Amino acid sequence: MTSPRSFPAGFVWGAATAAYQIEGAVSEDGRGPSIWDTFSHTPGKTVHGDTGDVACDHYHRVRSDVALMSELGLPSYRFSIAWPRVLPTGGGPVNQPGLDFYSQLVDMLLEHDIEPLATLYHWDLPQPLQDAGGWTVRDTALRFAEYAELVGRALGDRIPTLTTLNEPWCSAYLGHATGVHAPGGTDAAAAYAAVHHLNLAHGLAASALRTVLPGGARISLTLNLVQARPASSSAEDVDATRHVDGISNRIFLDPVFHGSYPADVLDDLGDVTDFGFVQDGDLAAISAPLDVLGVNYYSPRVIAAPSDDNLASGQPFPATSRAVALPQPGPYTAMGWPIDPAGLTELLVRLSRDLPDVPLMITENGAAFEDAVSADGAVHDDDRIAYLRGHLGATLDAIAQGADVRGYYAWSLMDNFEWAEGYAKRFGLVRVDYDTQQRIVKDSARWYSRVIAANALSG
Ligand code: FCB
């Protein structure tokens, strides 16, 4: 046994969820429909036609779920607020019962000494805003800033960190280019308009929040940055990797932190879009000051320039014809995602080099496995423990190399509706029996509790 490896003092530990993935109660207390209600109810869009109608029934079980978090010793909880619960049509008058749900959740967390971290947008756009063009139109960004201000005013005194968007990469590209997420669009040009309007939404919301939040409150943005490695040292593969880094990472990071879109990205995309959706003042708005960058990491990508051969085995990278993501060696999670903790170290070290003054927070990391309930009634998910151990070790490696990582949220607190994969993929530290809604604490949750209590990884 080697000696334990400690995390920095004050390191924030938590688990994460998102509203549509756990709440259910989709038409209760005035909640309006979101694009995920529409999408999941469209035949063929999710595995087994699963929807979030009931999910983990968290809306009705919030009290016992918070008690469970407390029993697990979680110091923090990252959840998202459903825009269509608070503003059923995206704008207009507030739906007080919807807002009250989150207000009560925050109070329950604080009563248990659990620090709330709330995300304002985890993909559940109010359907009426989609009907008016969704993220492809500018107005959605303006509506988002109003919604953010409203939530900031109502709850901001009790939530130390508010995140504007979760993974705009997914909203833009999976939602508008590949069509595997809501709203299911398949037009690359629309995806880039969505990128810009999501960036704008973030910036306008960050400024609006700043005016209503107490001093000391933190504003953040969570990105799923792509740790892209070239398949070979050929000039073509290296350039395809630069391109993927541009359209996946720098297209968000540069406007947010430097107030401009990267020149190589504008150049690369000349045959897709002219960026005519960028108006005067937008980049200044997008680069509003930010306190924390949230990083979600699951696995890296290996990128090559397209060829007949690799297009047969690999997958075209979303929203571009210039890059292919190649298959990678295992081991894999149940999602088929390669397990590669070193990619997390590389990503964190790169971010700390590129953005030396920006504190980082790992807002999601975790894995789906084929969990089973054993004869003893427990879930012995040693593979998840190994995954978490590997990635926490990778986080320590990055910290040792100078990365300013302030905390870690495991994805996810409990098994839930995994978007297009429905309920087939289980990411939870806690198992959910979807027939009875019984929660079973998995071995990984007990292990994670011990790591949290020690603020260290045992050897
Ligand atoms: C991320 C999402 C999260 C969850 C994990 C597995 O992309 O933010 O909601 O689905 O993947």
Side-chain angles (χ1 to χ4, degrees):
M1 258 223 170
T2 49
S3 45
R5 298 178 71 194
S6 291
F7 287 82
F11 195 78
V12 178
W13 294 99
T17 64
Y20 189 70
Q21 294 181 275
I22 64 165
E23 286 178 0
V26 290
S27 42
E28 274 177 59
D29 294 340
R31 178 187 180 278
S34 81
I35 55 175
W36 267 97
D37 296 284
T38 307
F39 189 76
S40 65
H41 279 270
T42 306
K45 298 296 187 192
T46 66
V47 171
H48 306 312
D50 288 344
T51 74
D53 287 3
V54 177
C56 308
D57 196 33
H58 171 73
Y59 191 76
H60 299 118
R61 291 164 197 266
V62 56
R63 194 164 287 281
S64 50
D65 285 340
V66 172
L68 181 56
M69 293 175 216
S70 174
E71 187 205 313
L72 293 174
L74 290 182
S76 183
Y77 174 52
R78 173 179 183 252
F79 62 97
S80 82
I81 295 175
W83 188 350
R85 265 194 211 290
V86 175
L87 294 167
T89 61
V94 64
N95 175 45
Q96 198 56 46
L99 194 54
D100 288 349
F101 171 75
Y102 297 106
S103 180
Q104 286 157 13
L105 166 61
V106 168
D107 285 345
M108 283 178 220
L109 291 168
L110 295 175
E111 278 160 26
H112 286 89
D113 279 329
I114 300 172
E115 181 175 307
L117 185 162
T119 303
L120 290 164
Y121 185 71
H122 201 125
W123 308 352
D124 39 6
L125 187 73
Q127 184 62 41
L129 293 184
Q130 181 60 40
D131 298 340
W135 290 114
T136 68
V137 301
R138 187 177 183 83
D139 188 60
T140 302
L142 310 184
R143 298 287 83 78
F144 181 71
E146 292 167 6
Y147 154 65
E149 183 173 333
L150 187 159
V151 173
R153 248 185 234 291
L155 309 179
D157 58 333
R158 287 169 287 153
I159 305 181
T161 308
L162 270 168
T163 302
T164 54
L165 307 176
N166 177 71
E167 301 191 352
W169 185 96
C170 293
S171 302
Y173 298 132
L174 303 184
H176 297 82
T178 65
V180 300
H181 279 187
T186 52
D187 170 12
Y192 290 104
V195 165
H196 180 65
H197 296 131
L198 284 154
N199 280 337
L200 184 62
H202 157 75
L204 294 174
S207 295
L209 284 170
R210 198 69 76 186
T211 63
V212 296
L213 294 182
R218 290 180 294 267
I219 298 173
S220 72
L221 164 70
T222 278
L223 300 175
N224 58 319
L225 297 160
V226 174
Q227 183 55 26
R229 299 166 175 160
S232 77
S233 56
S234 75
E236 292 78 11
D237 289 349
V238 169
D239 193 58
T241 308
R242 172 204 57 78
H243 173 66
V244 164
D245 184 60
I247 62 170
S248 303
N249 301 333
R250 290 179 289 112
I251 203 168
F252 299 105
L253 293 170
D254 280 26
V256 168
F257 292 105
H258 306 307
S260 60
Y261 281 108
D264 62 318
V265 170
L266 299 181
D267 199 41
D268 286 353
L269 296 177
D271 53 352
V272 181
T273 172
D274 62 3
F275 276 71
F277 37 73
V278 181
Q279 296 189 7
D280 283 354
D282 284 3
L283 286 156
I286 294 169
S287 53
L290 201 62
D291 304 303
V292 182
L293 177 64
V295 177
N296 291 356
Y297 174 84
Y298 291 91
S299 54
R301 303 289 187 98
V302 171
I303 300 297
S307 70
D308 289 347
D309 273 2
N310 68 24
L311 276 170
S313 59
Q315 286 193 327
F317 199 83
T320 182
S321 56
R322 291 166 174 247
V324 175
L326 297 190
Q328 298 177 61
Y332 307 102
T333 70
M335 297 291 280
W337 296 346
I339 300 174
D340 191 330
L344 176 57
T345 310
E346 289 162 24
L347 176 61
L348 295 169
V349 169
R350 176 254 174 111
L351 288 170
S352 66
R353 192 191 60 216
D354 290 356
L355 303 166
D357 302 327
V358 181
L360 306 174
M361 183 73 90
I362 299 171
T363 38
E364 284 182 27
N365 174 243
F369 288 107
E370 308 285 347
D371 298 328
V373 182
S374 298
D376 61 1
V379 179
H380 301 301
D381 56 341
D382 294 345
D383 36 16
R384 184 169 291 101
I385 294 174
Y387 182 99
L388 295 173
R389 175 188 286 284
H391 288 78
L392 288 171
T395 305
L396 283 168
D397 292 345
I399 293 171
Q401 292 176 53
D404 183 6
V405 186
R406 302 286 177 94
Y408 177 96
Y409 290 80
W411 183 271
S412 175
L413 174 67
M414 57 184 143
D415 296 339
N416 57 48
F417 175 75
E418 178 45 36
W419 310 111
E421 299 294 332
Y423 296 99
K425 303 293 185 229
R426 295 177 174 272
F427 275 89
L429 297 170
V430 173
R431 182 181 176 89
V432 175
D433 177 324
Y434 293 111
D435 295 326
T436 62
Q437 291 296 344
Q438 189 197 359
R439 275 65 166 145
I440 301 176
V441 174
K442 301 181 193 178
D443 286 1
S444 58
R446 299 284 177 215
W447 176 86
Y448 190 50
S449 295
R450 292 194 293 274
V451 172
I452 294 172
N455 196 41
L457 266 189
S458 61

